[in-house]
Amino acid sequence: MLYGAIEAGGTKFNLGIGDAQGNLLKHLTIPTRNPDETMKEVVAFFETFPITSLGLGCFGPLELNETSPRYGFITTTPKKEWVAYDILGTLKQHLGIPIAMNTDVGAAALGEITFGTFQSQQTLLYLTIGTGIGGGYVINGQIHNGLLHPEIGHIHINRQPEDFHTANCRYHKNCLEGLAAGPAIESRTGLPGDQVPDDHPVFPLISDYIGQALAACILVLSPTKIVLGGGVMNRSFLYPLIRQSTLAQLNGYLEAEAFQHMETYIVPPSLGNQSGIMGCLALALGK
Ligand code: ZN
C-alpha cells in the first residue's frame, strides 16, 4: 500500500509517496504560491498514485481541535493569502481519503522518533531554527497539541544588555524567533544569512537566546531528547555553543545523566532535512 506525505512550508511544499516501512518512493518539491495555484499542483500529484491515506504537516498557526468548525484551517499566518484557509478541507474534497494533520514541526518531531535513531525515546522535542523558529513535542508516540499546539518560537527571551535590535516579530519585542531566527541574523548583520562569517558575534548572541529557550523547555516539558534542525543549524559550531548556554541557564539546578553528555542530548536531526516529510508519512500511517 502507498501513503502520501505533504510537508507544507511557507516557501515550499515537499510532497512524497511512501510505503509502510518508511521508504520514500517518490518526492516532489514545489514553491509555495497562492493557495489556488499551489493546491492544484498538490492535488494533481497525489491523484496519480493510489494512496490509502495522507499525512499533512503544515506551517501555521493551525486549528487542530477536531471539534472546531475551523478544524484543519491555517489561521493567522503572516502569509496573507493563506490566512483562514481550509487546507485540510480542500485536500479531503479533492482526494477523498483519510488525512491526518499536524504542524510541520510536530510532524518533524514525529518523523525523528518514528523513523530516526531516537525510536527508544519516550519524549522528543524538535526545534527548527531557520526563516522562523518552531517547536514540536512528541510524548509516548503522540504529537502534543493541547489547547492549540506549541508555539515555542515565540517564547520570551531576556535580551543581553547591549542588544537593541528591533525584533523581527510583529507580535513580540523579545521573542526567540524575533531575536534569533534567520531574518534577525540578516538584519543584525546586514548580510545574507549564508554570507555571515562563522566568527561573527551574532552567533554567540543567538546561541545564548536559543539556550534560554531550551532551558525553559527543559523546565516545562522535561524532554529526554532535543533535536535542533533548520537552515541556521547548518552551522554545526552552534551546537556546542547552544549546549553550553543551556547548561549556563539551568545553572546546576537540575541533575540528570543527560547533562553530563550534552553532545547526545541536544543533537542534529538524525534524518537530516527529511524529518518533516518522514513525519508526514508517519502521520499517514497513523503512528
Ligand atoms: Zn514572536
Side-chain angles (χ1 to χ4, degrees), residues 3-31:
Y3 302 86
I6 307 179
E7 184 186 17
T11 53
K12 61 184 188 323
F13 273 48
N14 285 319
L15 314 177
I17 302 291
D19 63 19
Q21 287 71 46
N23 301 303
L24 210 53
L25 309 168
K26 295 272 179 206
H27 186 234
L28 176 71
T29 300
I30 60 168

Side-chain angles (χ1 to χ4, degrees), residues 113 117-124 138 140-141 223-225 264:
I113 215 160
T117 56
F118 309 125
Q119 296 176 20
S120 61
Q121 298 297 319
Q122 190 212 359
T123 56
L124 183 145
V138 171
N140 297 328
T224 52
K225 186 70 74 181
T264 59

Side-chain angles (χ1 to χ4, degrees), residues 153-154 169-172 175-178:
H154 297 268
C169 173
R170 62 191 175 104
Y171 294 95
H172 313 116
C175 74
L176 180 63
E177 178 172 296

